Structure formats: structure tokens, C-alpha cells
Amino acid sequence: MTAPALIRRVTGTLVEAAPLPGVGLYELAAVGSGGLLGEVIRLAGDRATLQVYEETNGLEVGEPVSPSGRALEIELGPGLLGSVLDGLGRPLAALAAHSGDFLTAGANVPTLDPARWWTFGPALAAGATVAPGDVLGTVEERPGFAHRILVPPGVRGTLAHITGGRYTVHETIAELADGTRFTLAQRWPVRRPRPVAARLPDDRPFLTGQRILDFLFPVAEGGTVAVPGGFGTGKTVIEQSLAKWADADLIVYIGCGERGNEMAEVLSEFPELTDPRTGRSLMDRTIMVVNTSNMPVAAREASVYLGVTLAEYYRDQGYRVALMADSLSRWAEALREISARLSDMPGEEGYPTYLASRLGSFYERAGRVQCAGTPERTGALTLITAISPPGGDFSEPVTQACLRVAGAVWALDPALAHQRQFPAVDWEVSYSEYLQGTLPWFEQEAGTGWTDARRRLLELLQRGRELKEIAALIGPDALQDEDRLVLEVARLIRELVLGQSAYSATDASSPAGKTLALARLVLALHDAARAAIAAGKALERLDLAHQRRHIAAVRDAGPEAWPQAAETAHAELARLGKEAV
Amino acid sequence: MTLTLPRSYQGANGAAGPLLFLEGADRVALGEWVTVRIPGTTDRRGQVIDAGDKVTVVQVLDEPMGLAPGRAEVTLTGEVARAVVGKELIGRALSGVGLPLDGLPPPVGEALRPVNGAPMNPSRRVRPSEFIETGVSAIDGLNTLVRGQKLPVFSGPGLPALELAASIVEQARAPRGEPFAVVFAGIGITARETRRFLDRFTKAGALERSVLYLNQASDPTIERLLCPRMALTAAEYLAFECGLHVLVVMADLTHYCEALREIATARQEIPGRRGYPGYMYTDLATIFERAGILRGRPGSVTQLPILTMPDDDITHPIPDLTGYITEGQVVLGRDLHRRGVFPPIDVLPSLSRLMNAGIGKGRTVPEHRQWADQLYALYAQGREARLMAAIVGEAGLGAADRRALQFGEAFEKEFIGQPLGRRTLPETLDAGWRLLEAFPRDDLTRISDAAWAARQAARAAAP
């Protein structure tokens, strides 16, 4: 037995300790007499450098450090839905019960409530041969939500016994002939992707309910999106809108280095909102990982891995999971902060040179997959990541590294935000690589003509932008009627099709059919007005405001009312150019 | 954590700017409070920022001139930096490190609290939603401040940010007459600025409800790092232990960030953007995130930090990182100031993220959101038209653009500008409506028929 390891140096979130001859990289240790959680990130001789996940102020040179032999893991099992965890997987409610209104270091609370009872219904019987990912049975985690209990990765054998009934998460529900026991809970190291059987093509859309996203820049289920935008451009509102309305079975929301009050808003709002698809509280399909900007920076670094592991776990059960991370820039900054303290040779703007590769492997954990195990099932993990470029400058390293790996980019523009044009997605900079794969679905499900309407809409926007530049030089009055009509229609597209209020009671989420109907109406308006102008009518004499009101009524109509409103608006179009103005 | 007893060491091993290097110290704790005694000079205080079994780095808070490591007696106190807190502090003026500036004896207070505080558990926070009437139309109407929010003012050199802050302090009324207090942290501001601000304060009778922490431009830079934390520790106690609604005004955060950079450079850290340390975001967050309301506790901490954008550049790291942490920003515009508009708030880049929770039915008026959106949309259009008019002339504009242009001018003069001082919320709303009513109904696309009808009915009913 060697001498006990002691703290030799404390600087910021890093602690150096020695002698620690036997430890491995990424091994966890209890640091100091308070038992703070730390992770070994560098080894030199018998001296280890640990990043500490909790407040290090007050930590003394000479306090003990004891390695745990385990990596940073999360306990997975029933009871995760609806929970709000910190970056290390500790439920915030339990932390409040433990240490009050303010967070203190060294609180040791489990992710899953060890005292809670669950009813387990087995899907297999004794004698069955099981392999990793096989469904042993189910637990009804929330009303109507079956939590599938899976054989953990790497375990196989013959079931000696399996019994239904009421269990806590750590009791044995089944056992293999070799003595391996199964419980409702299993552990997984968060930095390692969970295995899948196969990856599937990106050919179905992830419906966001946001017209500009679904229509112009759709993302596939299992795809990855980067949402870069300066502050105040509405990143958080978009992420929250998606968390509320996107078509997914489950949402994992990571508040990574963001605002405490914003999290309070989500926490007060989500339980009140109903999931339109199930009629139950939105919180029933949500897991939140919250690590606000003033919480320890190393835990912020870990929180994105924790979040993605939770998402993978439900994906493996065969669910379609959406992961929102707000924001990856804060994660990258945590990485930079830690690497600077390690005196790593810095890359661009002080970020470590491994920034891009870490980001790349994080994005790769998304995908639509054939889950491991039987019965056969598919799952998806769609990744939507907000990025906060300093000064709104997209050329900075984090944004650039994300753009290289993300399949779609929804770029937010401060100029649009200043005009209160929301979502402030810049249609000239944004793009999606999932168009090819998803357009056939839209053509089939939302209505034929989707592709064509999309193309025409973009052309009008583009032409509108060009004409606006010309008008700025020569004055709009010098333009032809036909061109001024394009300017007007481009404005209507922005207002009626692309603009959507996250706070509207009826329009916060738009079904694909309504999106197409609105686009078609504006295009039809353009056609009708152009015909009238061609027939000699002056633009001023066309009552576009009347038509606008009818189309706006479609936009503002709820899910039941819009088809009727769209019919009315179409009928009204026939009057364009015939009215007396 | 187990902090040990005081230990004294004769002689340190080196000094660089505000940093003192000490070898062979025993059981040093990160953040430990240090006193440095050099014969013939006043005692200095410091804080351990790097604790090691070989070398310990102490950040010295007071004047570094004459800091002689060889002759220094360094005492590790076994405690972390703490602030005296209590209701008794109200009415006092203290230095950035908590020493009396008002000729009175040092405050005894009710408790000693670590100045760094601890993060609030997000699940214990109450979502801020109580409207604070500041009397400033551009804020009340378009960028509503709510209790528990942190809403900074982004100013530029020579712009009247302190005047705006002073008028908010004067005018901000606590609804229902609840007890409230003001904590002011002057960080590196000049004696002239301090005096001007205090004069306004005194005249408004706000001084007897205030605690002042003044770190003046002539004070050691490094004290700037402690000053806002002292102020916030006092504010948290007043809010969460004494049940007061506390408004914390901090000026100027730019000086704070510069002090941070100075220390980082002295430590030879790897710099981030423009030489500021890579952890500046996290560091600022530990200040700004101390605003909020806690469940089951009556008080609140609302922050109104002021910062100067170097060269009016909003993309500079200081305003940029601040904007990412705070819940919006109030941006002052040089153009408006030049034209004599007060307060010169440029509403287009300004934003209050918590506005939606604080306005609407039961809080302000139901149509608040659409009314504000409409003003925003038309003003944005007006500003665009102004640019266009500069090229093609006003005569070259279309009718709609001409209307927007005129609206923009009137909006700046009559809505943003408040030559007569404070406006109540109904006065603010009315001022906005009167500008909107100059447009044909069809141009007001953001206003619903119901809101329009309600306004017309209210106007008909008014005398």
C-alpha cells in the first residue's frame, strides 16, 4: 500500500494530487475531505491532474484524494422522465432538499430515486437466450409511456429466472444462468456512445412545427442542426419552441452555461403546457439537464455528454428523441478554460486544438438507427445545438467547427431580430443537406407541389432582396409595377409564411399542411396580381391589403380552423383586380 | 471545507504587479484570505488564487507600490473573503472592499458572508414576472424590466448611462409600496461621476435607502474584482434574509473586465479574445447570475449593470459576453444623444428577454405585446427609409416609406425622448398609440382587430 494521495495544488477548477500511480485517464476520484467529484484528465508520473466538477474555493493543499476506479457514469432507468438534473446527473429537487436554495459542493444524491417502486412486466421467460439490447420487459414510467428495460451492452446468456412485480430500481428482476443480475437501472459512462445495430438513412423529416424550418431548411430525423446566432436573435426561443412542439417522443433539453431565470421559466412553463399529441403535460416527455453559467465549469463540460447519453438510452428503447443543447459555445468555452489551466498549446482564439474532433464525435452520436437487440425496433436521436458566436461573427472557431459537421444550419440574423421578424432565420445563409432525403416525404404527406412551392418562394425572396438593393439606389417609385409587386409579395412571404410567433396561442406550431397552404396562397396572390397588372391594372389600384387580411386569418387560425380559412382566402383571390379601389 | 488556523510566514519569494509568490506555505486553501504586513506601510489584504505545495500565488488587493516580498510578513488567515452584511448597512457609504468612507465606524452588521456566494439552485428560482415601472417609456413600453431580472445598460463613452440609472432609481416604484433598497457598486468610476450620481441620489431622497460601495478610479485596480461581489453579498442578504426588493446598480463593468484582464496578464495566462481571459464569461456569470427570486422568500435582487462599449462597439468582448448572460440589454445610441433625445435609448438592438412574462393581461395591458411589436416594426422600417432617403431623397420614397420615415422622427422625439421626465405606463401606452394612429389601419398589421377596437372605444370614452 502506497502513501495516501494528497492535494498538491489547486488552481481554478483543477487540482493536482499525488501519489496516484495506478489511476487511469477519466477515472473519477473524491477530492478533499468534502468528497468533491473530480475526473483525472492528465497524468505525469504519479502526479494526476483532476478537473473538479464542483466549487473549489476553500479546497486546501494537503487534503486527501481517493480514486474510485470508475469513469463518469450516469444511472439509467425509470424515473428519468420529467426530471431536472445538474451536469452530473443529480436531480436539482433532491439537491435542494439536501442543501437548500443555494448549491453547495459535495452533495451526493442519486440520479434515480432508490426508494421509488415500479411495476415491471416481463416480456421474456426463464430459459430465453438474451443478447445486448434485448427487451427484458417494460415499466410504465409515465401514464402511457412504456419504459423498456434492456439487457445492458456487453451482456449475454440464458435467463435463469425473470419475475414480474413491484421493484425499486436496484432490486434484482432477473438473473442469468451465470449469475449476472439485472435490475431496472443500469450504468453507462457518459463519454462513450452506446452501441447500435445499424445506422439508417435520413429519409424522414423531423417536424418542428416552425414553417421557415420545415419548409425551407428541413432536418431529417436523426439529423444534426447547428443554430448559430448572436445574443438576442432568438436561439433560446427556437430551442424552446422545438422542445414544446417538435414531433418527437421525448425531449432532452440541455441548458449548458445558460441563464438561471431562463431555466426557471422553462421549469414553470413546461408542466403547464400540454403535449398536443398525447394531451398530457409536456414535462412527461422531457428530461432537463441544467448547468447554468455560474455553476462549476467542469460540470458544464460534462453536461452535454450526460444529456446525449440519456437521449441514447431512450433511443435504444426504440423512441424518437430530440436533443436540444443550448449552447455548445458555452461547452467549448468550458473546454477552453480547462485547457488553458492545463497550459495546453492553444489553437485558434485560445481554444484547444482538439475542439473540432471533440465536437465531431459529439455530433456523431446523433442518427436514426436500428436499435441493438430484439424485438426489432428503430430509434432516432436528432441533435439541435445552439451556438453563440462572439459578436455574432460566424467565422469564429466554434461556429466553423460546428458548421463542418452539422447537416443543417439555421443561421439567426440580428437585423431580422431587430425588426422583430421571428424566427429570425436568415434564409440566405441557412442551408440543409437533408432536402434530398426529406422532400419526397413532404410531397407525399403534406401535399403535392411542396417542392415546387418551396422553389418559387425562395426565388421570390431572392428577387425581392435584389430589387430592394436597386430600390435603395434609385427609389422604389422608379421600379416597374411588376417589380414593386415582387417587393410587396416578398414582404408578405416574410410576414405571413416565414414569420411565426412563438407566443401565439394558435400559430406557435404549424402543421405541414398549413405551411403549404399559406405558401400557396401567397404565390397565388402573386399570380393573380401579376395577371391583373399584365391586363393593365396599376399596382396601386389592387387591394392587396384586403387579401393580406384573409391570408393572415389563415396564419392565425388554429389546427381545426385553418383549412376553412384557407378556402375563404382562395375564394377572395378571385376578386383581386376586379374590385373598385 | 476545513479551513485551518492563521499561519504567518516571514518573507515572500517574488512579486509581479498585484501578485505575490510565496513558497513553502502549509495547507493553503484556494480563495484563502491573506494579510501582508510590511514594516512602515499599511497592511495589505490579498487572496490565494493558486494554492500549491511549492508555490502559492496571492493576489494582493491594495496598492502594489512598495510591495517588498523580502520584507513581507504574510499571514494566511484560514478564512475566505467575507463581507459584513445586514440592514444596518443601509445608508452607509463603503469602499470597494467594505471599509467606511463616510467617517462612521466600520459596520458591524448582522452576519459575515463569503463574498463569492453560491449559485442559486435553478429549481428553487421563481420565474421573474413582476413588472417594475421605471417611468422610462423605451423600457416600460418596449423593453420591460421585471423583478429578479438582470438588464444591463450598454453605453458608450460620454453617453448619459449614469443619468439614466439615476433616473430609474429615482422613479422605479415598488408596486404596493413594498420595502425596497438600492445597492450601488461604483467600480472604477471617477470622482466626478461618483459625485454627480450621488447628488442625484441625495436629491431624490434615495440615499437613506441605499448602500454604496465605491471603488474609485484612483483605488487599486484589483479591488474592482471584489467590489461587485461585496455589493451583491450585501444585496442577497437584504433580499433573501430581510425580505427587501433590492435594485443593484453596478457601474462600470468595463472597468471590472479590464481589471480581470490585468490580473490574467500578470499571471501570464493564455489570453482569449482581445487579451481578455478565456474564463471571462464564467466570471461575469458569477456576478450577473446573482440576480433572481427564490421560492418562499419574500425579497428579490434585480440588477442594472452599466458598461461602456469601447468605441461604441457592441461586438467587443465585454458587451458581447454580458449580452449572452444577462436577460437583455438597453443600448444607448450616440445619434439620439447628439440630437438631444433623453434618454437616448436605441430600441432596435435593445431587448428585454423577460418582457413577455411581465406584460399582458393582469400585468400591464392585454395588447402590450402587439402594440410593442407594431412600434418596433414601423420604427425599423422608418430607420431603413431614413437610409434610403439619404440616397434617393425623401421625394423618391414611396408613400408607405415616407409615412414610416415621419413616424421614425416623431417616435424618437415624442416617445423615446421624455423632456418632461417620468411617464406612467398608461401615458407611455397612450404616447405609442397616438403615433400609431397616424397610419391607416391596414398598415398596422401587428395589431389585432380586437386590440384596435378596444383602443378606439377607450379613446371615445376618454374626456
Side-chain angles (χ1 to χ4, degrees), chain A residues 37-198:
Chain A
L37 200 58
E39 186 181 22
V40 176
I41 54 172
R42 177 159 298 179
L43 289 165
D46 66 350
R47 201 168 171 117
T49 304
L50 298 102
Q51 62 173 344
V52 178
Y53 288 118
E54 305 185 72
E55 178 58 53
T56 49
N57 250 319
L59 210 53
E60 264 179 31
V61 173
E63 285 189 69
V65 172
S66 44
S68 71
R70 291 221 283 227
L72 181 63
E73 292 174 333
I74 171 91
E75 190 166 50
L76 301 163
L80 290 167
L81 283 184
S83 63
V84 183
L85 309 172
D86 77 353
L88 302 176
R90 300 177 296 193
L92 288 180
L95 283 175
H98 179 275
S99 46
D101 290 349
F102 292 90
L103 298 167
T104 51
N108 188 8
V109 296
T111 304
L112 300 175
D113 183 351
R116 186 158 170 190
W117 293 87
W118 300 95
T119 304
F120 170 68
L124 298 174
T129 312
V130 295
D134 286 358
V135 177
L136 290 171
T138 55
V139 161
E140 193 174 34
E141 184 172 1
R142 293 266 164 158
F145 187 93
H147 185 116
R148 302 185 180 116
I149 306 298
L150 308 178
V151 175
V155 177
R156 55 181 74 238
T158 309
L159 280 175
H161 67 83
I162 179 166
T163 321
R166 280 166 62 73
Y167 296 97
T168 63
V169 287
H170 296 138
E171 287 174 314
T172 305
I173 52 165
E175 199 171 338
L176 291 184
D178 67 3
T180 307
R181 290 159 190 269
F182 295 117
T183 62
L184 295 178
Q186 53 177 285
R187 302 182 72 86
W188 186 258
V190 299
R191 296 186 193 276
R192 185 174 303 160
R194 285 175 62 89
V196 298

Side-chain angles (χ1 to χ4, degrees), chain B residues 222-246:
Chain B
I222 199 139
E223 288 189 15
R224 281 163 210 167
L225 300 186
L226 204 57
C227 179
R229 299 197 160 83
M230 283 273 173
L232 285 164
T233 306
E236 275 175 355
Y237 186 85
L238 291 175
F240 303 127
E241 308 287 334
C242 308
L244 303 181
H245 292 289
V246 186

